[in-house]
Amino acid sequence: MEQYIINGGCELHGSVPISGAKNAALGILPAVFLCQDTCRIENLPQISDVHNMLDILSSMGAHIRYLNKNAVEINTAHAQNLPTPYEMVRRLRASYYLIGALLGRFGKAEVALPGGCDFGFRPIDQHIKGFEALGATVQITEGGIVQAEAKEGLVGDSVYLDVVSVGATMNIMLAAVLAKGQTVIENAAREPHIVDLANFLNTMGADITGAGTDVIKIRGVERLRGCTYSIIPDQIEAGTYLALATATGGEVTVTGVIPKHLESITAKLSEMGAEVIEEDDSVTVRRSKNERLHRINVKTQPYPGFPTDMQPQFGVLLSLADGTSILTEGIYDNRFKYVNELRRMGAVATVDGRIAVFEGVEHLSPAPVRAPDLRAGAALIMAGLVAEGITVIDEVRYVERGYEDIVKKLRAIGADIRLVSHPDGEMLERAN
Ligand code: EPU
C-alpha cells in the first residue's frame, strides 16, 4: 500500500509544466484501431490510466513502441478483435471507447462494462443509443459484457443525446468515422478533449466538423492513414495546480497550457481573491497567505461550464473561505465522498444530495485521510499542503491514475510531500 506523507503549511512558488490531457489520451489511444498504419502519439501523459489502456491495446495484438517518456508509436495492423478481459477494464472507465473503435474497425466488439471512479450510477445508455442508431445490435450479457455487432456494416444517422455525455459523444464519433454516409450528433458534449479526438481523427483523414459545438457532423470515409499527433495539455491538471497555489498562497505558474480552456476555473479563483495572470501559453496565480479567500458559490456543468473534475479541489478552497459557500454538483449523484475526509481535517461542511454547504474556517489541521477517488485524492493533497504539520493520505493509487509525476512536480514548487510504501510492514521511500 502506498501513501503520501505531507508536511504542510508552506507557500508554494515556481512553475509546473502541464502534461498531456488524460481524457483526450484515453479516447485517442483506442482510436488507433481505426487505422492500420503506424500512428505516433506525442505528449502522452505517463499515468496509470494510460498504461492500462496501452496494456489492453497490447493484449489485442497492437504493436507499441515508446520513442521517449511521452511519445509512442502504435501499429494495429495485426491486432485481433479479442474480448477485452474484465480484469483489465474494471479500473478504467475509458475502456468503453474500445466498443466504438472496435465496431468501427471490425464491425463487432465485446468489452466488459467499464469501472472507473465511483460517483454513483454511471450508465452507458447514450453510447448504446448511438451505436444502435448506426445499425449495430447491442446487448449486455448477465456477466456484464457489452456485445455490439453491425452485421451489415455501420451506416450514419442522426443521434440526439438525452444527456450531454463526453463518453457517448467520443464513442459515437469513433464508431462513425468509417461508417457509410453521414452521422450527426446533436446535444453533443463540447469539452476540449472532444475537439482533440476530432482533430486526431481528422489528421488521420476523417471528415469531422463541428467538434466543440453541440452539433458534430461525421462524414464516413473509406480508410484512415497513419499520422503524428500531439495531445492537448490537461485542463484539469493545470486547474488543480492553480487551485493549490490559491489555497497555500504563493505564486505558481502552469506552463504549456491553453488559457482559454481554464477560463471557468480562473474566473472562480479571481472571484475568491487570487490574482490571475494569463500569458499566451501559461497562467500564473498569486495570492498572499495573510488574506482570507472570499466566499463564492460554484455549480458544475458540462463545458464551457465549471468542470466537475475540479469540484473536490474547490471544496478545499471553500472550506477556507471567509463565510458560507455553496457547491452544487451538476453532473454526478455522488461526488462528495471526500467531504467526510475534509471534516476530519477541520472543515465545516454538510452535504445534502448534490449540494454541499461549506462554513469557511481559518485553518485546516493534519489528519490521516483516505483518497476516495482521483480528483478527491488531489483535493486531499491540497488540504494536506495547507494544514500545518504531517498529513498521511492512503489509497494514493487513485491519484496516480491521472496526475503525471505529481510528487516531483509538487516538490519542485516547494511542497514537502513524499510517496512511501509498506512492503511487509516495512516503510520504504520511493522517488517519484
Ligand atoms: N450519462 C448517462 N448515460 C450515458 C452516459 C452518461 O446518463 O450513456 C450521464 C452520467 O451518469 C453523468 C453525465 O451523463 O451523470 C455525464 O457523464 P459523461 O458521459 O460526460 O462522463 P464520462 O464520459 O463517463 C468523462 C471523464 C470524467 C469526467 C466526465 C464529465 C473520461 C475517461 N472521463 O466521463 O473524468 O468527470 O467526462 O466531464 O473522459 C476524471 O478525469 O476525474 C473523470 C472522472
Side-chain angles (χ1 to χ4, degrees), residues 216-228:
I216 301 178
K217 289 189 180 149
I218 306 133
R219 290 174 202 84
V221 295
E222 285 285 317
R223 66 178 293 273
L224 298 179
R225 53 178 183 272
C227 71
T228 296

Side-chain angles (χ1 to χ4, degrees), residues 22-23 93 96 123-126 165-167 309 331-332 375:
K22 167 178 86 79
N23 291 341
R93 180 140 189 93
Y96 51 39
I124 59 161
D125 57 306
Q126 298 304 304
S165 160
V166 169
D309 296 341
I331 309 291
Y332 295 114
R375 307 301 173 188

Side-chain angles (χ1 to χ4, degrees), residues 54-65:
L54 287 172
D55 285 347
I56 294 174
L57 265 53
S58 175
S59 77
M60 298 175 79
H63 185 258
I64 298 169
R65 189 164 75 96

Side-chain angles (χ1 to χ4, degrees), residues 318-335:
L318 302 187
S319 298
L320 292 161
D322 192 5
T324 307
S325 306
I326 299 173
L327 184 51
T328 307
E329 173 53 51
I331 309 291
Y332 295 114
D333 289 335
N334 188 8
R335 205 175 192 175

